[in-house]
Amino acid sequence: MDAYHFFINLYELLTSQTRIELLVERCLPFKKGGFTITMFTLRTFKVVPSLPAELACLRELAYNLYWTWDHDVRSLFRRLDRDLWEETRHNPILLLGSIDQKKLEIRASDEGYLSHLNRAKETLHSYLTRKTWFQEKHSQVAGFQVAYFSMEYGITEGLPTYSGGLGVLAADHLKSASDLGIPLVAVGLLYQQGYFNQYLSKDGWQQELYPDNDFYNMPIRLVRDDQGQIQKISVPIQDREVRAQIWLAQVGRVPLYLLDTNLPENSVSDQDITDQLYGGDNDMRIKQEIVLGIGGLRALEKLGIRPSVCHMNEGHSAFMALERARTLMQERGVNFAEAQEATRSSNLFTSHTPVPAGIDEFDPGLIDNYLGGYLNALQLSRQQIHHLGGVDRPETGGKFNMAIFAINMSGGINGVSRLHGKVARRMWNYLWPALPEEEVPIGHVTNGIHIPTWISEDMAELYDRYLGPRWKQDPANEKVWQSVQSIPVEELWRTHERRRERLVAFARQRLAQQLENAGANPGEIAAAKEVLDPEALTIGFARRFAEYKRAKLLFYDLERISRIVNNKERPVQIIIAGKSHPRDNNGKAIIRDIINILRREEFRHRVVFLEDYDMEVASYMLQGVDVWLNTPRRPREASGTSGMKAGVNGVLNLSVLDGWWDEAFRNTVGWSIGRGEEYPNSEQQDKHEAESLYYVLEHDIVPLFYAGNNGLPREWIRMMKSSIQANSPLFNTHRMVIDYFTQYYSPASQRCAHFTEGSLQAAKTLAKWKERIRQHWEKIRILTIQAENGRELKVGETYPIKALVAIDGLKPEELRVEVYYGPLDADGRILHGQCVSMTQEKKEGNGQYLYNASIPCDTTGQQGFSIRITPTHPDMAFQHETGLITWYRE
C-alpha cells in the first residue's frame, strides 16, 4: 500500500468514531526477523474511543481493574456487545475502541443501561472511599508502605502479563491488599509479547505463538509528570544505561507499575528485554531481573515512593536489595555492610519453589559482565557478590543462585504452605548446616485465592442471598461461611448444574474452533459440537505440563480408565488443559502422548483437551466441573491454588496430599490419592497412586455422584457444603495478606524505621557487632556438662543440667546458651527438639562462665539433650541470622 492510500484508509477509520491525540515525533524502527530497519520519520498519535457524554465514565471504570472482581461492574461492559466482549478477551478498553458507534449511541439513551452505569460508578466510588480493615485496625501506623515485586501478574486475560499460578497468586495478593486497604504498591514488567499462545500440531506437539500486545488498547496508562512528560528511568546494564518507561495498571486501591524497555532510545537488544515473559536465554533472563529489581526500585523512587518493606515474590527481583542498599549508601554515606543491615531486615523473600531445579541460577561470569560497573558503586568485590549468591558453596556447583542471594539479603523468608515450609527448610538446611532442620529460619504463609475474582456469578448470587455481603468483605470469618448450611440443596445443585452446562457448551465451542484452526474437515468439527454430556460426572485437570505434575497418571491403565468413563449407567467425562514451558520438551511429549490417547475411539467423546489454557478457560473449568483432580509427585507441589478456586465454587477436590491439600484434606470435604507417602522410586509411586486414584473413582466418587433421588445426590451436596464451609475462610488471600502483615510486614516496617532513623546508628552498630562476633567465634567453647547420665526420671519431674562455657573476648549478654532436648529416634537423633535457655550462674574467671537449666520431663521414653551457643542481639531479624552456632562436643 502506498502512502496516499494508507492515509486515506486511516482517515476513513477515524472519521466520526474517534478523536485524535497528537503526541510526539519520532523515528520508527521496524523489527522483523531479528533485524531492525529505520523506515522513516513518523508523527505518532493515539486514537481513543469517542464516547457519548452520558457514557464518559465508562472509560474511568475500564481503567480501574476493580471490574475484574465485581460481577455487576463487569457486566456493564458485557451488555454493550456480548460477542465483542468475548472477542476482545474481556478487555474493556479494546471493547470501547472497537464497538460500533451506533451501539454506544443506543446505550446512551437507554435508561436501564444508564441506571446500571450510575450504580457501577457509585459502587467503585464507595469501594475506594469506604473505611478499610487497615484503617480500622492500624490507623496509628506511620510510614508504612509495602512494595511488592513479581515477574508476572495474572489480573485478567485481557492483560496478558502472566504465565500461570505465580502470576495469578500475585494478582490475587494485590486485590486483597486493595480490599483490606493495606498501603501497597506493586512492580513488574510489561511484556510486548507476554507469554505464548498455545496450539497443537497434527501429531499433538505443542506449538507457540507470540502475538504482540497493543498497550494502548489495554487497561493501562503511561505514567506522566505534572507537565505531561512520560516518566522514565534508567537501569545500569554492563557499560550502558537502559531506559524504561513506566505504565500504570490500577488494581482497585493498589497501583501496579510496569516497566517497558521497548523504546527507540534503547538498542534493539535492550528493547527486547521486555519482549517475552520467561523467554530467551540466561543473558536475557538476567537483564530482565536487573530491570525488574534495580529498575523497579528506581521507578518507585522516581514516583516519590519510598517503601518501608520490600516483598520479593520469588527470587527474580532480588537485585532490588542491592539498589535499596546503594540508595542508602549514596544518601547517608555509609558502607555496604551498614546499608545491608539497614535494609535487609525489611526485605521479605517468598519462595514458591520446592526443588533446586526450579530456581534461577547464573554463571558468575554473567553477574560480573552485567553488574560489574554497578558493583563499583556498592564498593563490592566480585568475590563478595559471588559469596552472597552462594557461588562458593559446593551445593550450587559454582552458580550464582538467586534464591540464596534473596535469602542473604532478607530478614524474612517463607514458603507458601505448611508442607512447603517444611520442604524449604530441608532444601536450604545446608545454609545453616549446624542447625536442626526444624529450626531453619524459614516460615510459611499458606497461599489463598481472591474469592470474588474466582467465584462464578451464579454462585456469587447464591452467596449474596444466603450469606449476605460479608462473604466478600470478610471472607476469612468462619462464622460467615457457616450459613452455607442454610442454602437449600435444590438451589445449590441447580446452580452447579448450570455451571456444568455452560462449561460443556464452552468446551464444545472451543474444541470446534481448535479443529477449524487446524484445518479439520466439516464432519470432525460438527462432531466436536456434540462431545461431552452436560449431565455426566465431569472431572477437570488443568496444570502446567511438567513431569512432576503427572498428567498421565490418570491414563496409567488405559483399559481401566476406559471402563470408568464409558460406563453407560454412570458415565464419567474428563476435561484437560494446560501448557508446557516452551523449552520443556518432556512436558510437550506428555501433551502429545495424551492427545494420541484421546484420539482413540473409546476416549474421543469422553475426554477432551482444550488448547491455550488461560484465565478464561480456567474460570469455566473451575466453576463447572464436579471434581478437580491434582496428581503431583509429593512433595513437589509448593501450594497450588486451582483446587481452592474450584472448592469455593462447590467443586470437590481429588488430590495427592501435597501443597495446600495436605492442610485442607478431611474425608468430609474431598478425597485423597494415597495417604501422604513419599516414595524413593517414582515407578513404584506411580503404580500405587494410580491404583489409589482408580479405586477412589470406582468405589467412592462415581457411586456417590449418581446416588440419590429426584435428581439430587444429597450426600454429594452435603460434601459440597462441608468443603465450602471448611476451606473458604482459610484458603483466601484476605487471610493470607493479613498473615503477611502480622508475621512479616508490620515487624519489618518497624525494623525499617528503627534502622533508618537519624544517622543509621543502629545499622552501624549491628554491622560492627556481627564483624566482631565472627572474629571471635572460633574461640567459643562448651568445656564441660554436669548432668547425671542415664538417670531415670518420672513424668512431671525436671532434669537439672549445668554447663561451663568459654566466651573469650565476648560478653555473656551477647550469647544465648541453650539446652536442646527431645525424644530420640532409633538412630539416636533428637526428634522434634525443643530449647530451654540456660541462666548464667556465676563467673569462673579466665573468660569462663557456669550456666544452669532444668528441662521438663513431659513424655516417657528415651530422651536426649545437648548444649549449644548462638549469638544474640536485639536488632537481629531472627535468632540464627548470623548462621553461627557452637555445639558441645566431647
Side-chain angles (χ1 to χ4, degrees), residues 156-427:
T156 173
E157 58 268 29
L159 185 58
T161 54
Y162 67 96
S163 70
L166 181 71
V168 170
L169 184 279
D172 282 8
H173 192 118
L174 305 193
K175 292 172 183 178
S176 278
S178 172
D179 292 343
L180 294 164
I182 291 178
L184 183 146
V185 297
V187 180
L189 301 181
L190 185 62
Y191 303 98
Q192 190 67 58
Q193 296 180 333
Y195 206 51
F196 67 92
N197 289 354
Q198 176 199 55
Y199 71 98
L200 302 181
S201 65
K202 290 187 180 297
D203 65 350
W205 193 259
Q206 174 181 288
Q207 305 292 317
E208 296 90 26
L209 290 174
Y210 291 91
D212 281 346
N213 292 318
D214 180 1
F215 300 154
Y216 293 94
N217 274 319
M218 290 181 176
I220 55 176
R221 285 169 162 158
L222 280 164
V223 179
R224 300 176 183 272
D225 62 18
D226 293 339
Q227 287 72 47
Q229 297 299 309
I230 297 171
Q231 296 281 56
K232 299 180 182 179
I233 51 100
S234 63
V235 185
I237 295 180
Q238 293 177 314
D239 57 354
R240 64 189 183 278
E241 295 288 322
V242 175
R243 300 281 285 168
Q245 60 186 359
I246 308 171
W247 294 79
L248 168 65
Q250 189 66 41
V251 187
R253 298 180 178 88
V254 171
L256 165 59
Y257 297 107
L258 300 168
L259 303 182
D260 166 25
T261 66
N262 192 9
L263 298 172
E265 55 260 48
N266 288 332
S267 67
V268 175
S269 62
D270 289 340
Q271 290 176 28
D272 290 345
I273 291 174
T274 54
D275 258 11
Q276 295 178 2
L277 172 60
Y278 304 136
D281 55 15
N282 269 358
D283 287 79
M284 178 59 70
R285 179 63 69 86
I286 195 172
K287 288 189 288 185
Q288 286 186 333
E289 297 187 3
I290 291 171
V291 172
L292 174 62
I294 297 174
L297 202 68
R298 290 190 176 187
L300 296 180
E301 189 73 26
K302 178 84 171 181
L303 301 175
I305 300 169
R306 180 66 63 92
S308 62
V309 181
C310 288
H311 185 173
M312 295 171 272
N313 188 41
E314 263 301 346
H316 308 118
S317 61
F319 293 132
M320 170 278 301
L322 291 178
E323 178 64 11
R324 204 173 181 209
R326 187 202 65 81
T327 301
L328 212 57
M329 292 171 66
Q330 181 178 337
E331 292 178 351
R332 303 292 189 91
V334 295
N335 61 37
F336 177 78
E338 293 164 341
Q340 183 186 23
E341 295 302 339
T343 56
R344 67 178 290 176
S345 65
S346 53
N347 291 334
L348 170 62
F349 168 52
T350 295
S351 169
H352 296 259
T353 308
V355 289
I359 296 166
D360 281 350
E361 294 180 323
F362 299 111
D363 288 327
L366 285 180
I367 301 294
D368 301 341
N369 182 28
Y370 288 105
L371 285 175
Y374 179 77
L375 296 178
N376 294 333
L378 290 160
Q379 304 167 20
L380 275 180
S381 68
R382 293 182 176 182
Q383 290 74 23
Q384 286 173 306
I385 190 70
H386 291 176
H387 174 73
L388 287 171
V391 174
D392 50 358
R393 290 188 171 275
E395 296 88 351
T396 66
K399 300 287 187 179
F400 187 96
N401 185 292
M402 290 299 288
I404 293 178
F405 179 69
I407 288 170
N408 284 327
M409 299 298 288
S410 297
I413 311 136
N414 74 281
V416 290
S417 70
R418 183 178 62 197
L419 180 59
H420 180 233
K422 180 179 179 180
V423 171
R425 288 188 288 275
R426 183 189 311 156
M427 186 167 77

Side-chain angles (χ1 to χ4, degrees), residues 130 167 265 315 434 468 664 707 728 765:
R130 74 184 182 214
E265 55 260 48
S728 298
T765 300

